[in-house]
Amino acid sequence: MATATGSGRDPPIASFLAEGGAMGERIRRFDWTASPLGPPERWPQALKTATGILLSSKFPMFLAWGPKLRLIYNDAYAEILGGKHPGALGHAFEDVWAEIWDDVRPIAERAVAGEASFYENLPLTMTRKGYAEATWFTFSYSPLRGDDGEAAGIFCVCIETTAQILEARERHLAETALRESEQRFRLIADAAPVPMWVTKLDRRRGFVNIAYADFLGVPYEEALDYDWRSRIHPDDVDQVVRESLAGEATLELFWLEGRYKRGDGEWRWLRSISQPRWGPQGEHVGFIGVAIDVTETKAAEAAMREVNDTLERRVAERTADLSAALDRLQAEVGERLKAEEALRQAQKMEAVGQLTGGIAHDFNNLLTPILGGLELIASRVEEPRLKRIAETALESTRRGAKLTGQLLAFSRIQRISMAPVAVNAVIETMKRLLRHTIGGAVRIETDLDPDAGCALCDANQLENAILNLAINARDAMPDGGTLSIATCRETLPAGPDHEAGEFVRVRVSDTGHGMPAEVAARAPEPFFSTKPLGKGTGLGLAQVYGIARQAGGTLRIDSAEERGTHVDILFPAADPGSEAALQAAEPAAAMAKRPFQHASVLVIDDDDDVRAFLSDALEGLGCKVVAAASGAEALGALAEADVDLALIDYAMPEMNGADVARGARDLRPGLPILFVTGYAESEQLEAALGPGVPVLRKPFSLDELAAALERVLPRGAAAADA
């Protein structure tokens, strides 16, 4: 038997076995004398040539020779064999691939008979990792002829396409969902008062909103292909084009500023913000942008510059006695510039927040029937495998709902319950959760000031913010370290992002690797993340920032490389208030178990899937359902049907939920109303029905739906209908 080196007494290695990596070494050491194929040096020339070809190739290849079709393969094919390798070498094809032999035997027999064949994306159920799995392969079988010219074996070149097939199926589902939400996105964009656009990689626009076409003063179709360079002021065109190309090359958010001719001929200063768009696999697919008219701001800046120039000339001519006055003026100008920068940052965050909130609304509509449907399936199916699949999908849907919650928290449009919260008590309650979440490698320390008192915020949002910061701290300390949580009360003067007054400070610190100043400055931006692709959404700190700002507070980050990070959440201080405000509400699951027999419910939602899910869920709770796809249809039904409750979606075309609620109250004063929505401003809802309007947030579970009905339906309504 030949050795790997061919030295000493062993015969020299045949040239056709000299290569092949790990499989070449394994073939050389294999005891072929005990095999029907015999020693390699006696193999037919066709077998030698085919073996040399597959060993020198990086493509998955195998050959099967002789009456039993004994297998010889290369390193690439060994990966396809999985657990069957290395035992497959030299064994009969039928024994190695017993589970697919019925599928491939006709193909193999045709190849041995001298007929070549090619198959693309052939489905095969294989057992190569200890369990049956669906796979797809593209391959060719070619006959191998012996020295007598008769086919004696098979030569196969194959590639596994399982991942591509599964990806194509997922892509089809995603594209279907995208088409369903595209129209809603257009409605949102067209409602924006500023020009918006979406470009492809070739810089051609795939979408513009109405404000975009109105600024140009041209029809929509012409606006899609309009050459903007013809509208840029001659003095600005070179700079704008140059900075646009440079900004696109960075694949990051960038700003442009220049003068553009409006459709009526007037020159206007526009400041555009462009953000890269990414495909489902993380590939760059273009940009999305928005433009803000800053003509008045530029005029004010020009006037300020003129004032500064005049002051500088006067100061140069006057005596040194005026230098102190000049210093004060320059300080004021500096403060103004800081304020303008803070305003620009706020405008940017507000624009992105509005877009983020709209996207979250669409996803909430998509997730609502999915979450409820999966709950019904998981509760009713008994077969273990299907039940596990349903519960896994249900957990993924809940994670999607959590992500939309993060988007809404950042955009600061989610309705939350503001009340005095005992911050120290919340942190003490969270200790066990934090230890379980961040693991034993990180030590947790607390320094809770007894005088910190209560903060005006939402208790659940506070817990969410601390948990987000703790997870970020854990990720910054991969080798372990210390997580510290401290509280105190501070009195702060007015700042660019908060009022003057007393604040409760919650500081979360770590001893991790820290961040440079430029990274720390961008950390609260949405979708900005230093974590590897797939390890973070970039919404954690943005969500914490949104929670603090919605409560009237702010966020501060102090970090340096190799020095760790301090993140301060500042909430307005508050009096403790009543104990009832701090008590937890009755669990929704317990309330959901109460009966709703015979109650009549009017369901109003323009989304067919959500409306169908709500109807099925309510009927499952014993309610009678009247469904309407629009506000006008609902008001018509209400005039004829006697119902106990109206469930109203907020974001609908023509008549939104608030309009429908007002019309319903005109027809039926005192009718209980429950808003079912994933996106709505609290002020708009309260304007329709007054303070404390009941809201059920999409997506929601069946328990949460039942609990909402229990709260809103008047006692005895269902029984009276019965």
Side-chain angles (χ1 to χ4, degrees), residues 3 255 265 555 565 642 658:
T3 66
W255 299 59
L555 188 74
T565 301
D642 185 17

Side-chain angles (χ1 to χ4, degrees), residues 298 315 635:
K298 298 295 289 187
V315 168
L635 295 179

Side-chain angles (χ1 to χ4, degrees), residues 354-397:
Q354 290 175 356
L355 179 61
T356 302
I359 295 172
H361 163 254
D362 282 346
F363 273 101
N364 276 338
N365 269 347
L366 293 174
L367 289 172
T368 296
I370 296 174
L371 179 63
L374 287 172
E375 277 191 327
L376 288 173
I377 293 172
S379 65
R380 296 179 182 178
V381 71
E382 296 298 334
E383 201 277 318
R385 180 172 175 270
L386 293 179
K387 190 175 187 68
R388 184 175 64 256
I389 292 172
E391 289 174 346
T392 301
L394 184 59
E395 180 60 28
S396 297
T397 306

Side-chain angles (χ1 to χ4, degrees), residues 499-616:
E499 301 290 338
E502 285 198 350
F503 290 81
V504 176
R505 185 189 73 192
V506 179
R507 170 170 291 180
V508 180
S509 307
D510 64 68
T511 58
H513 47 64
M515 298 178 284
E518 61 274 13
V519 174
R522 294 193 59 198
E525 292 184 9
F527 310 111
F528 176 79
S529 176
T530 59
K531 298 178 183 178
L533 186 64
K535 298 296 184 181
T537 62
L539 286 172
L541 274 175
Q543 182 188 15
V544 176
Y545 177 77
I547 290 170
R549 292 293 296 125
Q550 194 168 11
T554 188
L555 188 74
R556 297 285 185 266
I557 300 176
D558 179 17
S559 184
E561 292 183 282
E562 308 305 328
R563 190 173 62 80
T565 301
H566 303 304
V567 180
D568 291 346
I569 319 175
L570 294 165
F571 292 109
D575 293 330
S578 66
E579 288 297 321
L582 303 178
Q583 298 300 318
E586 183 179 359
M591 298 172 67
K593 299 181 184 298
R594 299 174 182 172
F596 301 97
Q597 296 295 324
H598 308 299
S600 179
V601 182
L602 174 61
V603 176
I604 310 159
D605 199 305
D606 64 314
D607 189 294
D608 295 340
D609 293 335
V610 176
R611 190 172 64 254
F613 161 68
L614 279 171
S615 298
D616 291 342

Side-chain angles (χ1 to χ4, degrees), residues 335-355:
E335 290 299 320
R336 181 181 181 87
L337 292 177
K338 291 180 182 179
E340 290 177 351
E341 178 59 29
L343 176 60
R344 283 193 291 269
Q345 180 70 11
Q347 289 173 334
K348 177 181 71 173
M349 299 296 281
E350 183 67 22
V352 178
Q354 290 175 356
L355 179 61

Side-chain angles (χ1 to χ4, degrees), residues 59-62 77 80 93 100 103-108 110-111 116-124 126 135-142 154-161:
F59 267 83
M61 296 181 181
F62 74 85
Y77 191 76
I80 292 177
F93 189 110
I100 63 171
D103 296 317
V104 300
R105 174 168 44 188
I107 308 172
R110 289 200 301 273
S117 59
F118 173 80
Y119 287 84
E120 185 173 7
N121 295 327
L122 181 69
L124 297 170
M126 292 182 168
T135 65
W136 285 264
F137 283 85
T138 295
F139 62 90
S140 64
Y141 277 10
S142 301
I154 303 168
F155 189 84
C156 174
V157 179
C158 67
I159 183 168
E160 184 171 359
T161 59

Side-chain angles (χ1 to χ4, degrees), residues 333-500:
V333 172
E335 290 299 320
R336 181 181 181 87
L337 292 177
K338 291 180 182 179
E340 290 177 351
E341 178 59 29
L343 176 60
R344 283 193 291 269
Q345 180 70 11
Q347 289 173 334
K348 177 181 71 173
M349 299 296 281
E350 183 67 22
V352 178
Q354 290 175 356
L355 179 61
T356 302
I359 295 172
H361 163 254
D362 282 346
F363 273 101
N364 276 338
N365 269 347
L366 293 174
L367 289 172
T368 296
I370 296 174
L371 179 63
L374 287 172
E375 277 191 327
L376 288 173
I377 293 172
S379 65
R380 296 179 182 178
V381 71
E382 296 298 334
E383 201 277 318
R385 180 172 175 270
L386 293 179
K387 190 175 187 68
R388 184 175 64 256
I389 292 172
E391 289 174 346
T392 301
L394 184 59
E395 180 60 28
S396 297
T397 306
R398 289 178 179 137
R399 289 199 298 269
K402 179 181 178 183
L403 179 58
T404 59
Q406 289 180 318
L407 292 169
L408 289 171
F410 162 71
S411 62
R412 301 195 296 280
I413 59 175
Q414 189 175 28
R415 185 182 179 90
I416 62 175
S417 176
M418 291 294 182
V421 175
V423 174
N424 290 351
V426 171
I427 296 172
E428 289 288 353
T429 304
M430 289 185 67
K431 280 185 178 180
R432 179 176 296 179
L433 171 64
L434 292 174
R435 290 192 185 96
H436 176 74
T437 301
I438 67 177
V442 176
R443 185 171 66 257
I444 301 176
E445 296 180 351
T446 57
D447 181 13
L448 308 181
D449 185 351
D451 297 327
C454 292
L456 183 64
C457 61
D458 182 284
N460 291 331
Q461 295 283 44
L462 173 59
E463 292 178 355
N464 197 4
I466 294 174
L467 185 59
N468 265 310
L469 296 179
I471 291 173
N472 281 351
R474 177 202 63 191
D475 294 343
M477 299 182 288
D479 299 323
T482 300
L483 168 69
S484 302
I485 305 177
T487 61
C488 70
R489 182 172 287 220
E490 293 185 2
T491 301
L492 299 178
D497 55 355
H498 64 81
E499 301 290 338

Side-chain angles (χ1 to χ4, degrees), residues 185-438:
F185 168 76
R186 289 179 176 272
L187 292 173
I188 294 170
D190 284 339
V194 295
M196 296 176 62
W197 62 91
V198 175
T199 63
K200 307 173 185 176
L201 283 178
D202 59 3
R203 297 189 178 87
R204 292 176 60 86
R205 286 174 290 280
F207 168 78
V208 298
N209 68 347
I210 293 175
Y212 186 103
D214 288 346
F215 185 93
L216 289 173
V218 299
Y220 179 85
E221 293 300 329
E222 185 178 343
L224 282 174
D225 295 321
Y226 201 92
D227 186 356
W228 264 98
R229 291 172 296 184
S230 64
R231 291 293 187 98
I232 305 176
H233 195 282
D235 294 341
D236 299 341
V237 63
D238 290 341
Q239 176 182 344
V240 170
V241 172
R242 181 175 64 254
E243 291 181 355
S244 176
L245 294 174
E248 291 176 358
T250 66
L251 294 184
E252 296 178 353
L253 184 143
F254 65 93
W255 299 59
L256 297 175
E257 196 170 86
R259 287 166 288 182
Y260 296 79
K261 183 182 291 186
R262 200 165 57 188
D264 59 7
E266 182 179 351
W267 290 101
R268 305 293 295 178
W269 279 96
L270 296 183
R271 179 177 297 140
S272 66
I273 311 165
S274 296
Q275 170 75 44
R277 295 189 301 119
W278 308 99
Q281 304 302 321
E283 74 277 14
H284 179 224
V285 296
F287 288 85
I288 183 171
V290 60
I292 303 170
D293 191 322
V294 293
T295 305
E296 286 72 20
T297 302
K298 298 295 289 187
E301 291 175 352
M304 179 61 70
R305 284 194 296 271
E306 182 178 352
V307 169
N308 288 342
D309 291 342
T310 302
L311 287 174
E312 289 176 1
R313 289 194 299 270
R314 290 179 179 178
V315 168
E317 297 171 356
R318 291 180 181 271
T319 65
D321 293 338
L322 296 178
S323 61
L326 177 60
D327 290 340
R328 290 193 298 272
L329 180 59
Q330 289 175 334
E332 292 174 3
V333 172
E335 290 299 320
R336 181 181 181 87
L337 292 177
K338 291 180 182 179
E340 290 177 351
E341 178 59 29
L343 176 60
R344 283 193 291 269
Q345 180 70 11
Q347 289 173 334
K348 177 181 71 173
M349 299 296 281
E350 183 67 22
V352 178
Q354 290 175 356
L355 179 61
T356 302
I359 295 172
H361 163 254
D362 282 346
F363 273 101
N364 276 338
N365 269 347
L366 293 174
L367 289 172
T368 296
I370 296 174
L371 179 63
L374 287 172
E375 277 191 327
L376 288 173
I377 293 172
S379 65
R380 296 179 182 178
V381 71
E382 296 298 334
E383 201 277 318
R385 180 172 175 270
L386 293 179
K387 190 175 187 68
R388 184 175 64 256
I389 292 172
E391 289 174 346
T392 301
L394 184 59
E395 180 60 28
S396 297
T397 306
R398 289 178 179 137
R399 289 199 298 269
K402 179 181 178 183
L403 179 58
T404 59
Q406 289 180 318
L407 292 169
L408 289 171
F410 162 71
S411 62
R412 301 195 296 280
I413 59 175
Q414 189 175 28
R415 185 182 179 90
I416 62 175
S417 176
M418 291 294 182
V421 175
V423 174
N424 290 351
V426 171
I427 296 172
E428 289 288 353
T429 304
M430 289 185 67
K431 280 185 178 180
R432 179 176 296 179
L433 171 64
L434 292 174
R435 290 192 185 96
H436 176 74
T437 301
I438 67 177

